[in-house]
Amino acid sequence: MTVDSHHPRPVILGQNQYGKAENRVVRITRDGDTHHIKDLNVSVALSGDMDDVHYSGSNANVLPTDTTKNTVYAFAKEHGIESAEQFGIHLARHFVTGQEPIHQARIRIEEYAWERIETSDSNSGLNGADEVKHSFVRRGQETRVAQITFDGEKWQVISGLKDLTVMNSTNSEFWGYVKDKYTTLPESYDRILATEVSAKWRYSWSSDEERMPNWDTSYAQAKKHMLQAFAETYSLSLQQSLYQMGSRIINSLGEIDEIRFSLPNKHHFLVDLEPFGLKNDTAEGAVYFAADRPYGLIEATVLRDGVEPQIPVDTTNL
Amino acid sequence: MTVDSHHPRPVILGQNQYGKAENRVVRITRDGDTHHIKDLNVSVALSGDMDDVHYSGSNANVLPTDTTKNTVYAFAKEHGIESAEQFGIHLARHFVTGQEPIHQARIRIEEYAWERIETSDSNSGLNGADEVKHSFVRRGQETRVAQITFDGEKWQVISGLKDLTVMNSTNSEFWGYVKDKYTTLPESYDRILATEVSAKWRYSWSSDEERMPNWDTSYAQAKKHMLQAFAETYSLSLQQSLYQMGSRIINSLGEIDEIRFSLPNKHHFLVDLEPFGLKNDTAEGAVYFAADRPYGLIEATVLRDGVEPQIPVDTTNL
Amino acid sequence: MTVDSHHPRPVILGQNQYGKAENRVVRITRDGDTHHIKDLNVSVALSGDMDDVHYSGSNANVLPTDTTKNTVYAFAKEHGIESAEQFGIHLARHFVTGQEPIHQARIRIEEYAWERIETSDSNSGLNGADEVKHSFVRRGQETRVAQITFDGEKWQVISGLKDLTVMNSTNSEFWGYVKDKYTTLPESYDRILATEVSAKWRYSWSSDEERMPNWDTSYAQAKKHMLQAFAETYSLSLQQSLYQMGSRIINSLGEIDEIRFSLPNKHHFLVDLEPFGLKNDTAEGAVYFAADRPYGLIEATVLRDGVEPQIPVDTTNL
Amino acid sequence: MTVDSHHPRPVILGQNQYGKAENRVVRITRDGDTHHIKDLNVSVALSGDMDDVHYSGSNANVLPTDTTKNTVYAFAKEHGIESAEQFGIHLARHFVTGQEPIHQARIRIEEYAWERIETSDSNSGLNGADEVKHSFVRRGQETRVAQITFDGEKWQVISGLKDLTVMNSTNSEFWGYVKDKYTTLPESYDRILATEVSAKWRYSWSSDEERMPNWDTSYAQAKKHMLQAFAETYSLSLQQSLYQMGSRIINSLGEIDEIRFSLPNKHHFLVDLEPFGLKNDTAEGAVYFAADRPYGLIEATVLRDGVEPQIPVDTTNL
């Protein structure tokens, strides 16, 4: 930070970063007739010795954002895309070690999953055995996210997911809460619990000296544990479910130290059908109004005892 | 249509319709401990003898949109939701036969699919056998749509889907096209073909006298045939793939007479990596830029010979 | 339409169209130091003799969508952009007269308005008089739309707007409606009436022989009359307000023959504050919950007596 | 933070917060026949002694999110809405002082501006003088935002705006930057500079003892200075414009200590029209392609010398 000498009342430049956001890169690899696809949205943010470009407009230390875009595409060819995390590590290392004024690089990646289209030989005049190998349908469930940060020495890798909507149609209650003069909510002993999971977990891996996790295996395991913990928790509050989801991941996956959840409570209100002479009873199967806004929003960090929390509290989606 | 007598230069009321749109209804049914879920977004549009409400504001013929909303929720309890189409048929019949001034009802429905969360007994202190039965994760792939129209005599059922993104990573070419003074596109002999399918198909069923199709089976078959035709077509143009998708449905499913597609060409441009000394060759697996806008938009109706097309050309998504 | 001879059960190609959608074009013109801006989103849809490309994949009649994109940008330079409508007329004429297989062109345009940033000399070391002339802030209110269709002989021009949100905080009632067994809505004698206007009006102009309207003047007049009619109508139903908005335009603007509205009723529900000992009375100024879904949806065509309606009933936004 | 004794490998609860998000509240006040409108989207986040609800599901310390929603609506009636900031201060104080387990409250507010519809007496049979006083059209430009945080002692107020799109059609250059092996961008000496401003500024006011700023006046001044600085800066980089926008606010408004910008570079690429024999020269007025993704993203904090930065670096929009 540097004093701006051009103004009578001094003004300071604080934290700053720049880069090209949302580079949409698709990488096809061919293994004989069998094709594989990686579909990413990559955002680059660089920071370092950037005072001059803010104070005077001198771009002498500025690698253009257009160049960071080109690098993403070139690296997808040169290094391939083994996983979102590994690809981010290649990019971050390149920017920090390749340009002296750049002291830190943060790569954010969204990944979209595809599955193969199943074809049937009987419907096809072609050789059915080949043709399925290059045809895909977008899976459409959660979006996988990753954030890789490197300052030339230490690595920080945060992975996660968003847009994963889950529901328990029973085994959820809500009662025994504080009641003040503005409280009108009736207690509930059998309600729907639904949320759209946004989760980010941080790996303990932080140095090239350490053994790197298997990013894809860890992702699959973390998602599985999270879903199972949600399903298997008899829930007295969404906070309790959140904690169970987080602690099961921390307890099951030694490579993960910390996880942050943002869980909107997707309210499903039991519709009052009594005016129409109908009993809308959960025990018999009921009818709900799925509300949009407002919604409860439950956010918390769950972490391994003894580690320092590092995931920011109110970040944008990675 | 009636002349508006209050104005010197006569003005006429034309086609009009009204109702409550986007009623979000979730219906849980319990089969012992096993729960089932139907998750719909239902829009009601009614028309009929509605001149007065436009000319004078008299609501004497107007069933409130709030009542149409109530009816959606009450019917979900009274009749259950066997399928989107069957639910729409119940509603449309009710409005047209129940209110003399209402001459036509059009019900539009979006349906969101859920699948069960797989749990593992080993990770759970609970009885694993039960607990999976009420836990769901939203599938997240295509949105199923349906439109049911009834005028008191004839039915029209249009079903379909949207948001289904598919890709062939090879077996697509584009060449031999017209070249005018504004043409710069190079011909391509191996390109990615990707689109986000929006499709609406019309059933021939139109009367209570006829045997009704099995809506769920037909939907599953139509989706399967569409995906397979896309995958199995060696494509010289997206139009050719569209026609193959449509004709395979018409040929395979006797109950469907007509299908309308809106297929955005989701361009994946081969990135020019030559400035970086890299060869970006499709045969070896290549790197693409997935573009947002602009996009080619290919739209067409495919129909059984001899039937009159009825699906409107530029409708909003059902 | 042609029989597809390759299939045992004949299948027919119906209406079809193609082109490049959402070409984002910004045109700056300089009048000395004063700059002007036109900011459009242009979509091209062509139809004609296109059977072969669907049946066999032959592109011999296909002008690439990429070429239609190039044409949009080239025409913005060659002809300038006088108005969205005039620009669409240039494009449609070009495609239909320039390519024999193309029998009809439909150009859809969205236009985004900008206003100048007001600067103050006192705060600036520059010559304040010049600098305002090239600085703009996006207006951000409604989106202007236009659709131009040409078949080689007749023109159809539909203009309009969307995303224009209006509210009357009083002078709206709703009572005297039909009550059936599902009706619970209480009557209201003082409610908020709010909607997000989507309107499309059709000009009678249809031939090069006729005198063309002044598109920009007509647009400004139509918007003004619509807003005033909404504000000045003491409303007993949203349908009544709709009709007043439409008839005022038809009566005031001789060049417009027909107008179609799609008006979602943006419900503002009076909040029940009695549990907290508060009276939430409209007469004293009240507190409302602005709801998202569901919403009433009121749609109608208003037209000059004697003309045939041409605006489709359920079109996508132009 | 407390050790979770139920697990062999201890897991810790970190930062957590909860509340009802996106309460849409509209407040009409009547001053005789003249109505005024406040239109807010209010999100409540509370934190404090909340370990038990996460560990055991006990809600004994939990004020329901439904109650926080009720409070928003009740306060809109009891206290009125003088400004977004003042309304947030009422709410935050209430939650922290009213509930012992709640140690901190953070209120986030979006505000949507409306302007009056101009009516003309001549077109109206009513008394023109009255009727304009209750009719509004949503302004539609920027969204005003505010975040109020209170821990029982200290206040933090961050205000700002988002969705404000600005453009300079000249007086922007970009050259003299770093060139590495992935750099292909040509230098530019006359380009469009456009961005969609997201800005958040922090007031120095932090205690009930201090004199509170006039929130509405400060907002209007900050917006004005920001727009003028953007318009009046001859820009060699978007970073330079950002710093000018921030420093002008800090220098002009003594009550603001810090401002954070997130400025996407909305690229407008000069279209290559040479293949069509056209010269697309900026000096004569040119044609641009307005790109969506990827985009440069420039983010920085500007602050008064000597103050500690407090605005988080990667927050979600307030």
Side-chain angles (χ1 to χ4, degrees), chain D residues 25-74:
Chain D
V25 57
V26 169
R27 173 74 160 111
I28 303 292
T29 47
R30 298 188 175 198
D31 178 11
D33 285 344
T34 303
H35 292 202
H36 302 275
I37 178 173
K38 282 285 181 181
D39 184 1
L40 306 183
N41 189 19
V42 180
S43 296
V44 175
L46 308 177
S47 48
D49 186 4
M50 296 293 156
D51 282 6
D52 284 354
V53 66
H54 291 86
Y55 291 144
S56 70
S58 162
N59 293 301
N61 281 356
V62 175
L63 189 71
T65 65
D66 187 77
T67 300
T68 67
K69 176 195 71 178
N70 288 345
T71 309
V72 167
Y73 289 104

Side-chain angles (χ1 to χ4, degrees), chain B:
Chain B
M1 300 187 201
T2 308
V3 174
D4 169 18
S5 57
H6 305 300
H7 287 96
R9 283 188 280 172
V11 176
I12 295 290
L13 176 69
Q15 197 277 352
N16 59 87
Q17 57 196 13
Y18 83 102
K20 195 72 98 192
E22 302 210 32
N23 299 283
R24 293 279 292 106
V25 58
V26 170
R27 171 73 160 110
I28 303 292
T29 47
R30 298 188 175 197
D31 178 11
D33 284 344
T34 303
H35 292 202
H36 302 275
I37 178 174
K38 282 285 181 180
D39 184 1
L40 306 183
N41 189 19
V42 180
S43 295
V44 175
L46 309 176
S47 49
D49 186 4
M50 298 293 157
D51 282 6
D52 283 354
V53 66
H54 291 86
Y55 291 143
S56 70
S58 161
N59 292 301
N61 281 357
V62 175
L63 188 71
T65 66
D66 188 76
T67 300
T68 68
K69 177 195 72 178
N70 287 346
T71 309
V72 168
Y73 289 104
F75 271 43
K77 183 70 186 170
E78 288 187 86
H79 301 278
I81 301 176
E82 191 187 315
S83 66
E85 288 82 359
Q86 181 62 67
F87 188 60
I89 287 169
H90 282 307
L91 286 166
R93 190 189 306 275
H94 167 80
F95 291 120
V96 173
T97 61
Q99 292 294 330
E100 195 276 331
I102 298 174
H103 302 159
Q104 183 174 294
R106 189 201 67 200
I107 313 297
R108 286 180 168 177
I109 300 178
E110 292 187 343
E111 181 172 356
Y112 314 108
W114 296 76
E115 57 195 21
R116 292 183 191 279
I117 295 177
E118 290 175 29
T119 53
S120 63
D121 297 349
S122 56
N123 284 325
S124 161
L126 305 176
N127 178 339
D130 300 331
E131 74 217 0
V132 312
K133 297 175 175 173
H134 62 261
S135 293
F136 304 90
V137 56
R138 192 160 152 173
R139 187 144 199 284
Q141 202 165 68
E142 86 276 10
T143 300
R144 179 172 168 177
V145 297
Q147 173 180 290
I148 297 88
T149 310
F150 184 52
D151 64 2
E153 281 192 28
K154 283 181 74 73
W155 293 96
Q156 185 199 62
V157 178
I158 296 173
S159 299
L161 56 80
K162 59 181 181 177
D163 305 327
L164 184 71
T165 305
V166 293
M167 176 194 291
N168 286 332
S169 54
T170 189
N171 286 11
S172 167
E173 308 186 6
F174 188 56
W175 49 267
Y177 40 75
V178 174
K179 290 167 193 75
D180 74 2
K181 69 175 281 205
Y182 297 110
T183 302
T184 56
L185 185 76
E187 300 195 326
S188 171
Y189 298 89
D190 190 0
R191 63 170 189 172
I192 281 184
L193 186 71
T195 186
E196 185 184 301
V197 180
S198 175
K200 300 160 202 163
W201 51 87
R202 183 175 55 78
Y203 291 94
S204 59
W205 182 81
S206 66
S207 143
D208 286 318
E209 259 77 281
E210 296 162 27
R211 180 198 176 90
M212 206 179 274
N214 181 319
W215 307 111
D216 285 349
T217 305
S218 281
Y219 178 83
Q221 288 290 311
K223 181 184 170 187
K224 188 193 76 174
H225 286 299
M226 196 187 307
L227 284 175
Q228 290 182 355
F230 176 78
E232 295 167 3
T233 299
Y234 191 104
S235 177
L236 301 174
S237 71
L238 183 49
Q239 283 93 331
Q240 186 190 19
S241 293
L242 180 156
Y243 182 74
Q244 288 300 319
M245 294 158 76
S247 62
R248 189 165 315 177
I249 289 175
I250 303 286
N251 280 322
S252 305
L253 299 172
E255 66 270 32
I256 296 176
D257 267 0
E258 177 188 8
I259 180 163
R260 176 89 186 162
F261 290 99
S262 179
L263 300 185
N265 195 337
K266 293 180 76 74
H267 303 301
H268 287 73
F269 295 116
L270 206 58
V271 181
D272 178 10
L273 300 177
E274 278 196 30
F276 322 125
L278 297 167
K279 200 178 152 200
N280 195 20
D281 189 346
T282 54
E284 296 174 4
V287 173
Y288 300 86
F289 165 60
D292 296 313
R293 294 195 296 185
Y295 50 90
L297 183 57
I298 311 299
E299 299 174 292
T301 297
V302 177
L303 70 168
R304 193 177 301 286
D305 191 16
V307 310
E308 278 299 305
Q310 296 180 25
I311 305 177
V313 165
D314 291 304
T315 51
T316 48
N317 275 318
L318 293 181

